[in-house]
Amino acid sequence: MISNFDGKSDILWRDTTGELVSWNMNNHSYSGFDFGHVDTSWRVVGTGDFDNNGTSDILWRDSGGELVVWNMNNHSYTGFDFGHVDNAFQVAGIGDFNGDGNADILWRNNTTGDLITWDVNADHSHTGFDLGIVDPAFQVVNVGDYNGDGTSDILFRNSSTGNVVIWDRTITRTPALITERLINRSTCWRRCGN
């Protein structure tokens, strides 16, 4: 999902050839905009307001690990290259983990379970924060503000047991202030939606 200053979520589409299109939604109708072709070695790994201008930006990653954000301004954009990130780490979510209004990046090493956030500033400088190792059986399934405190929390699900854990985060980031809430669900239940 992206946004273009009108307060409504818009839809970002990409076809198998690399063509990128947005639907600017207006109730149940839309107007489309074609951004053109983006090489298929690049994929959209998230959207969020990385430059704090009120619109959603597009986070891209190529197959070699290069990370780029398109800072959107209606249908034009400026790019910023964050640089190379080891492919052992995947973008697991986008949220505001430090409460500054900018989108931040949640990274996960799916083999080791290491979990890291990048607190991204409007100028794209960023600070890493290592949250430690989380059992790889627990997969990140979503990021959202589940406790209503203005910072993003992390929703995990154990792929074997179906157990769901929510990490309620606080702005101070002190590990002792991460609160886990366990919800038991069998593996036959699946999360729907965004």
Side-chain angles (χ1 to χ4, degrees):
M1 294 290 191
I2 59 174
S3 177
N4 64 348
F5 292 114
D6 65 1
K8 299 179 181 96
S9 293
D10 302 318
I11 302 171
L12 191 63
W13 295 96
R14 188 158 189 224
D15 74 10
T16 56
T17 69
E19 199 73 15
L20 185 70
V21 175
S22 72
W23 282 3
N24 301 322
M25 302 306 294
N26 186 6
N27 294 323
H28 296 290
S29 63
Y30 68 91
S31 60
F33 182 81
D34 188 343
F35 288 101
H37 180 268
V38 178
D39 189 283
T40 56
S41 66
W42 289 88
R43 60 187 178 90
V44 174
V45 292
T47 60
D49 189 2
F50 289 97
D51 58 359
N52 204 8
N53 71 347
T55 63
S56 294
D57 305 312
I58 304 170
L59 188 65
W60 295 88
R61 191 162 189 210
D62 79 355
S63 55
E66 199 70 16
L67 188 71
V68 172
V69 65
W70 282 6
N71 295 311
M72 304 304 297
N73 187 357
N74 285 323
H75 295 121
S76 64
Y77 65 89
T78 56
F80 179 82
D81 188 344
F82 283 106
H84 179 268
V85 178
D86 188 320
N87 274 328
F89 284 89
Q90 300 298 312
V91 173
I94 306 296
D96 183 5
F97 296 105
N98 62 355
D100 67 355
N102 290 342
D104 303 316
I105 304 170
L106 179 66
W107 293 95
R108 180 88 191 267
N109 182 317
N110 291 322
T111 303
T112 66
D114 200 11
L115 196 65
I116 296 172
T117 60
W118 276 10
D119 295 342
V120 180
N121 300 309
D123 66 359
H124 298 102
S125 62
H126 57 278
T127 304
F129 187 83
D130 192 340
L131 299 174
I133 304 293
V134 177
D135 182 343
F138 280 92
Q139 300 167 349
V140 175
V141 292
N142 205 14
V143 169
D145 185 5
Y146 298 109
N147 61 1
D149 69 353
T151 59
S152 295
D153 307 310
I154 305 168
L155 177 68
F156 294 93
R157 179 129 193 251
N158 187 305
S159 56
S160 299
T161 65
N163 285 346
V164 175
V165 173
I166 299 172
W167 275 15
D168 295 329
R169 303 295 321 267
T170 63
I171 293 173
T172 62
R173 302 299 200 76
T174 306
L177 296 177
I178 296 174
T179 305
E180 291 186 17
R181 291 185 279 156
L182 179 64
I183 303 165
N184 292 312
R185 285 281 166 237
S186 76
T187 56
C188 63
W189 286 87
R190 302 283 183 259
R191 184 182 70 86
C192 299
N194 214 356

